[in-house]
mmCIF file of all heavy atoms in Angstrom:
data_model
loop_
_atom_site.group_PDB
_atom_site.id
_atom_site.type_symbol
_atom_site.label_atom_id
_atom_site.label_comp_id
_atom_site.label_asym_id
_atom_site.label_seq_id
_atom_site.Cartn_x
_atom_site.Cartn_y
_atom_site.Cartn_z
ATOM 1 N N ILE A 11 11.758 -164.634 11.362
ATOM 2 C CA ILE A 11 11.759 -165.821 10.501
ATOM 3 C C ILE A 11 13.198 -166.204 10.163
ATOM 4 O O ILE A 11 13.526 -167.383 10.011
ATOM 5 C CB ILE A 11 10.964 -165.554 9.202
ATOM 6 C CG1 ILE A 11 9.495 -165.281 9.537
ATOM 7 C CG2 ILE A 11 11.076 -166.720 8.225
ATOM 8 C CD1 ILE A 11 8.647 -164.924 8.330
ATOM 9 N N PHE A 12 14.073 -165.189 10.079
ATOM 10 C CA PHE A 12 15.472 -165.419 9.717
ATOM 11 C C PHE A 12 16.368 -165.587 10.939
ATOM 12 O O PHE A 12 17.303 -166.381 10.930
ATOM 13 C CB PHE A 12 15.992 -164.252 8.865
ATOM 14 C CG PHE A 12 15.232 -164.037 7.593
ATOM 15 C CD1 PHE A 12 14.226 -163.079 7.530
ATOM 16 C CD2 PHE A 12 15.501 -164.784 6.467
ATOM 17 C CE1 PHE A 12 13.524 -162.861 6.354
ATOM 18 C CE2 PHE A 12 14.805 -164.577 5.288
ATOM 19 C CZ PHE A 12 13.808 -163.625 5.232
ATOM 20 N N PHE A 13 16.102 -164.808 11.998
ATOM 21 C CA PHE A 13 16.947 -164.866 13.188
ATOM 22 C C PHE A 13 16.122 -164.433 14.399
ATOM 23 O O PHE A 13 15.065 -163.813 14.256
ATOM 24 C CB PHE A 13 18.175 -163.955 13.038
ATOM 25 C CG PHE A 13 17.841 -162.547 12.632
ATOM 26 C CD1 PHE A 13 17.478 -161.581 13.570
ATOM 27 C CD2 PHE A 13 17.879 -162.174 11.290
ATOM 28 C CE1 PHE A 13 17.161 -160.288 13.192
ATOM 29 C CE2 PHE A 13 17.576 -160.871 10.909
ATOM 30 C CZ PHE A 13 17.222 -159.935 11.857
ATOM 31 N N HIS A 14 16.605 -164.778 15.572
ATOM 32 C CA HIS A 14 15.885 -164.463 16.807
ATOM 33 C C HIS A 14 15.982 -162.975 17.115
ATOM 34 O O HIS A 14 17.073 -162.393 17.109
ATOM 35 C CB HIS A 14 16.454 -165.258 17.983
ATOM 36 C CG HIS A 14 15.847 -164.893 19.301
ATOM 37 N ND1 HIS A 14 14.516 -165.116 19.605
ATOM 38 C CD2 HIS A 14 16.391 -164.291 20.395
ATOM 39 C CE1 HIS A 14 14.263 -164.684 20.821
ATOM 40 N NE2 HIS A 14 15.379 -164.185 21.328
ATOM 41 N N VAL A 15 14.848 -162.350 17.350
ATOM 42 C CA VAL A 15 14.796 -160.944 17.751
ATOM 43 C C VAL A 15 14.421 -160.890 19.231
ATOM 44 O O VAL A 15 13.309 -161.301 19.600
ATOM 45 C CB VAL A 15 13.752 -160.162 16.920
ATOM 46 C CG1 VAL A 15 13.708 -158.706 17.363
ATOM 47 C CG2 VAL A 15 14.069 -160.264 15.429
ATOM 48 N N PRO A 16 15.307 -160.437 20.104
ATOM 49 C CA PRO A 16 15.006 -160.397 21.540
ATOM 50 C C PRO A 16 13.750 -159.586 21.840
ATOM 51 O O PRO A 16 13.489 -158.563 21.193
ATOM 52 C CB PRO A 16 16.252 -159.730 22.143
ATOM 53 C CG PRO A 16 17.334 -159.978 21.145
ATOM 54 C CD PRO A 16 16.661 -159.942 19.805
ATOM 55 N N GLU A 17 12.977 -160.054 22.819
ATOM 56 C CA GLU A 17 11.724 -159.389 23.163
ATOM 57 C C GLU A 17 11.948 -157.961 23.648
ATOM 58 O O GLU A 17 11.096 -157.091 23.454
ATOM 59 C CB GLU A 17 10.973 -160.191 24.247
ATOM 60 C CG GLU A 17 10.294 -161.442 23.760
ATOM 61 C CD GLU A 17 11.266 -162.544 23.355
ATOM 62 O OE1 GLU A 17 12.389 -162.573 23.910
ATOM 63 O OE2 GLU A 17 10.906 -163.367 22.493
ATOM 64 N N ILE A 18 13.104 -157.706 24.248
ATOM 65 C CA ILE A 18 13.388 -156.359 24.744
ATOM 66 C C ILE A 18 13.479 -155.370 23.582
ATOM 67 O O ILE A 18 13.059 -154.215 23.682
ATOM 68 C CB ILE A 18 14.711 -156.353 25.563
ATOM 69 C CG1 ILE A 18 14.962 -154.981 26.169
ATOM 70 C CG2 ILE A 18 15.880 -156.782 24.695
ATOM 71 C CD1 ILE A 18 13.947 -154.562 27.192
ATOM 72 N N ILE A 19 13.984 -155.843 22.434
ATOM 73 C CA ILE A 19 14.069 -154.978 21.253
ATOM 74 C C ILE A 19 12.675 -154.756 20.679
ATOM 75 O O ILE A 19 12.300 -153.628 20.328
ATOM 76 C CB ILE A 19 15.000 -155.602 20.191
ATOM 77 C CG1 ILE A 19 16.438 -155.653 20.714
ATOM 78 C CG2 ILE A 19 14.931 -154.818 18.880
ATOM 79 C CD1 ILE A 19 17.419 -156.280 19.745
ATOM 80 N N THR A 20 11.896 -155.833 20.577
ATOM 81 C CA THR A 20 10.535 -155.719 20.051
ATOM 82 C C THR A 20 9.702 -154.752 20.880
ATOM 83 O O THR A 20 8.988 -153.904 20.332
ATOM 84 C CB THR A 20 9.855 -157.099 20.033
ATOM 85 O OG1 THR A 20 10.671 -158.022 19.322
ATOM 86 C CG2 THR A 20 8.489 -157.021 19.371
ATOM 87 N N GLY A 21 9.791 -154.885 22.209
ATOM 88 C CA GLY A 21 9.030 -153.998 23.080
ATOM 89 C C GLY A 21 9.528 -152.562 23.038
ATOM 90 O O GLY A 21 8.738 -151.617 23.092
ATOM 91 N N SER A 22 10.848 -152.391 22.925
ATOM 92 C CA SER A 22 11.423 -151.050 22.907
ATOM 93 C C SER A 22 11.005 -150.270 21.667
ATOM 94 O O SER A 22 10.830 -149.048 21.720
ATOM 95 C CB SER A 22 12.955 -151.134 22.963
ATOM 96 O OG SER A 22 13.375 -151.761 24.156
ATOM 97 N N ILE A 23 10.845 -150.965 20.539
ATOM 98 C CA ILE A 23 10.418 -150.303 19.308
ATOM 99 C C ILE A 23 9.060 -149.628 19.513
ATOM 100 O O ILE A 23 8.862 -148.455 19.182
ATOM 101 C CB ILE A 23 10.334 -151.310 18.142
ATOM 102 C CG1 ILE A 23 11.726 -151.816 17.768
ATOM 103 C CG2 ILE A 23 9.664 -150.672 16.915
ATOM 104 C CD1 ILE A 23 11.716 -152.928 16.744
ATOM 105 N N GLY A 24 8.111 -150.390 20.073
ATOM 106 C CA GLY A 24 6.774 -149.857 20.307
ATOM 107 C C GLY A 24 6.780 -148.700 21.281
ATOM 108 O O GLY A 24 6.166 -147.658 21.029
ATOM 109 N N LEU A 25 7.487 -148.871 22.401
ATOM 110 C CA LEU A 25 7.526 -147.816 23.409
ATOM 111 C C LEU A 25 8.172 -146.544 22.870
ATOM 112 O O LEU A 25 7.727 -145.429 23.166
ATOM 113 C CB LEU A 25 8.292 -148.304 24.640
ATOM 114 C CG LEU A 25 7.525 -149.187 25.619
ATOM 115 C CD1 LEU A 25 8.422 -149.597 26.778
ATOM 116 C CD2 LEU A 25 6.293 -148.469 26.154
ATOM 117 N N ALA A 26 9.216 -146.701 22.068
ATOM 118 C CA ALA A 26 9.924 -145.535 21.531
ATOM 119 C C ALA A 26 9.012 -144.707 20.629
ATOM 120 O O ALA A 26 8.952 -143.477 20.757
ATOM 121 C CB ALA A 26 11.161 -145.992 20.762
ATOM 122 N N PHE A 27 8.280 -145.364 19.729
ATOM 123 C CA PHE A 27 7.385 -144.636 18.827
ATOM 124 C C PHE A 27 6.237 -143.977 19.580
ATOM 125 O O PHE A 27 5.894 -142.810 19.317
ATOM 126 C CB PHE A 27 6.833 -145.584 17.758
ATOM 127 C CG PHE A 27 7.743 -145.778 16.586
ATOM 128 C CD1 PHE A 27 8.271 -147.023 16.287
ATOM 129 C CD2 PHE A 27 8.070 -144.709 15.770
ATOM 130 C CE1 PHE A 27 9.117 -147.199 15.208
ATOM 131 C CE2 PHE A 27 8.914 -144.876 14.681
ATOM 132 C CZ PHE A 27 9.443 -146.124 14.391
ATOM 133 N N VAL A 28 5.630 -144.705 20.513
ATOM 134 C CA VAL A 28 4.505 -144.155 21.268
ATOM 135 C C VAL A 28 4.967 -142.988 22.134
ATOM 136 O O VAL A 28 4.294 -141.948 22.218
ATOM 137 C CB VAL A 28 3.844 -145.250 22.132
ATOM 138 C CG1 VAL A 28 2.807 -144.637 23.067
ATOM 139 C CG2 VAL A 28 3.187 -146.298 21.252
ATOM 140 N N ALA A 29 6.116 -143.146 22.780
ATOM 141 C CA ALA A 29 6.643 -142.072 23.629
ATOM 142 C C ALA A 29 6.972 -140.829 22.801
ATOM 143 O O ALA A 29 6.671 -139.698 23.205
ATOM 144 C CB ALA A 29 7.881 -142.551 24.371
ATOM 145 N N ALA A 30 7.571 -141.027 21.627
ATOM 146 C CA ALA A 30 7.924 -139.894 20.766
ATOM 147 C C ALA A 30 6.672 -139.176 20.263
ATOM 148 O O ALA A 30 6.624 -137.938 20.228
ATOM 149 C CB ALA A 30 8.762 -140.383 19.587
ATOM 150 N N SER A 31 5.648 -139.959 19.875
ATOM 151 C CA SER A 31 4.404 -139.335 19.398
ATOM 152 C C SER A 31 3.671 -138.624 20.532
ATOM 153 O O SER A 31 3.027 -137.595 20.319
ATOM 154 C CB SER A 31 3.495 -140.388 18.765
ATOM 155 O OG SER A 31 3.106 -141.373 19.703
ATOM 156 N N TYR A 32 3.775 -139.163 21.735
ATOM 157 C CA TYR A 32 3.172 -138.510 22.909
ATOM 158 C C TYR A 32 3.837 -137.164 23.172
ATOM 159 O O TYR A 32 3.162 -136.143 23.415
ATOM 160 C CB TYR A 32 3.312 -139.419 24.130
ATOM 161 C CG TYR A 32 2.790 -138.817 25.421
ATOM 162 C CD1 TYR A 32 1.421 -138.770 25.680
ATOM 163 C CD2 TYR A 32 3.667 -138.317 26.378
ATOM 164 C CE1 TYR A 32 0.938 -138.213 26.865
ATOM 165 C CE2 TYR A 32 3.203 -137.767 27.562
ATOM 166 C CZ TYR A 32 1.829 -137.722 27.796
ATOM 167 O OH TYR A 32 1.363 -137.172 28.962
ATOM 168 N N TYR A 33 5.167 -137.135 23.092
ATOM 169 C CA TYR A 33 5.904 -135.884 23.296
ATOM 170 C C TYR A 33 5.541 -134.863 22.217
ATOM 171 O O TYR A 33 5.321 -133.676 22.515
ATOM 172 C CB TYR A 33 7.405 -136.166 23.281
ATOM 173 C CG TYR A 33 8.261 -134.917 23.318
ATOM 174 C CD1 TYR A 33 8.456 -134.218 24.509
ATOM 175 C CD2 TYR A 33 8.877 -134.444 22.148
ATOM 176 C CE1 TYR A 33 9.232 -133.065 24.533
ATOM 177 C CE2 TYR A 33 9.646 -133.294 22.175
ATOM 178 C CZ TYR A 33 9.821 -132.608 23.361
ATOM 179 O OH TYR A 33 10.581 -131.466 23.376
ATOM 180 N N SER A 34 5.468 -135.316 20.972
ATOM 181 C CA SER A 34 5.108 -134.408 19.874
ATOM 182 C C SER A 34 3.697 -133.869 20.046
ATOM 183 O O SER A 34 3.422 -132.703 19.748
ATOM 184 C CB SER A 34 5.221 -135.141 18.532
ATOM 185 O OG SER A 34 6.548 -135.543 18.289
ATOM 186 N N SER A 35 2.799 -134.721 20.547
ATOM 187 C CA SER A 35 1.415 -134.298 20.759
ATOM 188 C C SER A 35 1.330 -133.227 21.839
ATOM 189 O O SER A 35 0.605 -132.235 21.698
ATOM 190 C CB SER A 35 0.550 -135.501 21.139
ATOM 191 O OG SER A 35 0.550 -136.473 20.118
ATOM 192 N N LEU A 36 2.061 -133.425 22.931
ATOM 193 C CA LEU A 36 2.074 -132.430 24.007
ATOM 194 C C LEU A 36 2.648 -131.112 23.510
ATOM 195 O O LEU A 36 2.137 -130.027 23.827
ATOM 196 C CB LEU A 36 2.901 -132.947 25.187
ATOM 197 C CG LEU A 36 2.310 -134.081 26.022
ATOM 198 C CD1 LEU A 36 3.264 -134.450 27.150
ATOM 199 C CD2 LEU A 36 0.957 -133.674 26.600
ATOM 200 N N LYS A 37 3.711 -131.206 22.727
ATOM 201 C CA LYS A 37 4.343 -130.011 22.186
ATOM 202 C C LYS A 37 3.385 -129.255 21.266
ATOM 203 O O LYS A 37 3.265 -128.030 21.342
ATOM 204 C CB LYS A 37 5.610 -130.409 21.419
ATOM 205 C CG LYS A 37 6.459 -129.246 20.971
ATOM 206 C CD LYS A 37 7.733 -129.749 20.310
ATOM 207 C CE LYS A 37 8.592 -128.576 19.837
ATOM 208 N NZ LYS A 37 9.852 -129.058 19.184
ATOM 209 N N GLU A 38 2.669 -130.003 20.430
ATOM 210 C CA GLU A 38 1.706 -129.388 19.501
ATOM 211 C C GLU A 38 0.547 -128.754 20.268
ATOM 212 O O GLU A 38 0.066 -127.675 19.906
ATOM 213 C CB GLU A 38 1.184 -130.459 18.543
ATOM 214 C CG GLU A 38 0.176 -129.976 17.522
ATOM 215 C CD GLU A 38 0.799 -129.133 16.431
ATOM 216 O OE1 GLU A 38 2.054 -129.106 16.355
ATOM 217 O OE2 GLU A 38 0.070 -128.488 15.676
ATOM 218 N N ARG A 39 0.115 -129.429 21.324
ATOM 219 C CA ARG A 39 -1.000 -128.897 22.123
ATOM 220 C C ARG A 39 -0.622 -127.595 22.803
ATOM 221 O O ARG A 39 -1.434 -126.664 22.892
ATOM 222 C CB ARG A 39 -1.432 -129.941 23.163
ATOM 223 C CG ARG A 39 -2.732 -129.602 23.867
ATOM 224 C CD ARG A 39 -3.244 -130.797 24.662
ATOM 225 N NE ARG A 39 -2.399 -131.127 25.784
ATOM 226 C CZ ARG A 39 -2.631 -132.126 26.640
ATOM 227 N NH1 ARG A 39 -3.707 -132.886 26.438
ATOM 228 N NH2 ARG A 39 -1.828 -132.380 27.628
ATOM 229 N N LYS A 40 0.608 -127.497 23.291
ATOM 230 C CA LYS A 40 1.070 -126.262 23.914
ATOM 231 C C LYS A 40 1.139 -125.116 22.905
ATOM 232 O O LYS A 40 0.801 -123.976 23.218
ATOM 233 C CB LYS A 40 2.449 -126.492 24.556
ATOM 234 C CG LYS A 40 2.407 -127.371 25.779
ATOM 235 C CD LYS A 40 3.805 -127.561 26.353
ATOM 236 C CE LYS A 40 3.761 -128.437 27.607
ATOM 237 N NZ LYS A 40 5.131 -128.664 28.171
ATOM 238 N N ILE A 41 1.569 -125.431 21.678
ATOM 239 C CA ILE A 41 1.661 -124.413 20.630
ATOM 240 C C ILE A 41 0.283 -123.883 20.284
ATOM 241 O O ILE A 41 0.059 -122.671 20.152
ATOM 242 C CB ILE A 41 2.345 -124.989 19.375
ATOM 243 C CG1 ILE A 41 3.812 -125.308 19.674
ATOM 244 C CG2 ILE A 41 2.246 -124.029 18.205
ATOM 245 C CD1 ILE A 41 4.536 -126.005 18.541
ATOM 246 N N LEU A 42 -0.686 -124.812 20.149
ATOM 247 C CA LEU A 42 -2.058 -124.409 19.818
ATOM 248 C C LEU A 42 -2.678 -123.596 20.951
ATOM 249 O O LEU A 42 -3.431 -122.647 20.711
ATOM 250 C CB LEU A 42 -2.911 -125.647 19.522
ATOM 251 C CG LEU A 42 -2.548 -126.424 18.251
ATOM 252 C CD1 LEU A 42 -3.408 -127.687 18.130
ATOM 253 C CD2 LEU A 42 -2.746 -125.550 17.021
ATOM 254 N N ALA A 43 -2.378 -124.013 22.197
ATOM 255 C CA ALA A 43 -2.932 -123.279 23.347
ATOM 256 C C ALA A 43 -2.369 -121.867 23.426
ATOM 257 O O ALA A 43 -3.053 -120.920 23.821
ATOM 258 C CB ALA A 43 -2.618 -124.043 24.626
ATOM 259 N N ALA A 44 -1.100 -121.716 23.024
ATOM 260 C CA ALA A 44 -0.476 -120.387 23.065
ATOM 261 C C ALA A 44 -1.003 -119.493 21.958
ATOM 262 O O ALA A 44 -1.034 -118.270 22.096
ATOM 263 C CB ALA A 44 1.042 -120.536 22.942
#
């Protein structure tokens, strides 16, 4: 609303959070399996 936010930044925000949560989930699953 105040300034233009490039689509690459908008998309990167989503991918970064999903990728980080995916990594944390895999890590947690390995710990539980062990």
Side-chain angles (χ1 to χ4, degrees):
I11 297 176
F12 301 97
F13 52 84
H14 175 65
V15 180
E17 285 69 28
I18 184 65
I19 294 179
T20 306
S22 299
I23 293 173
L25 280 180
F27 276 117
V28 172
S31 62
Y32 177 77
Y33 173 78
S34 297
S35 299
L36 289 180
K37 188 176 179 180
E38 180 73 11
R39 191 168 68 180
K40 290 180 179 179
I41 293 174
L42 293 176

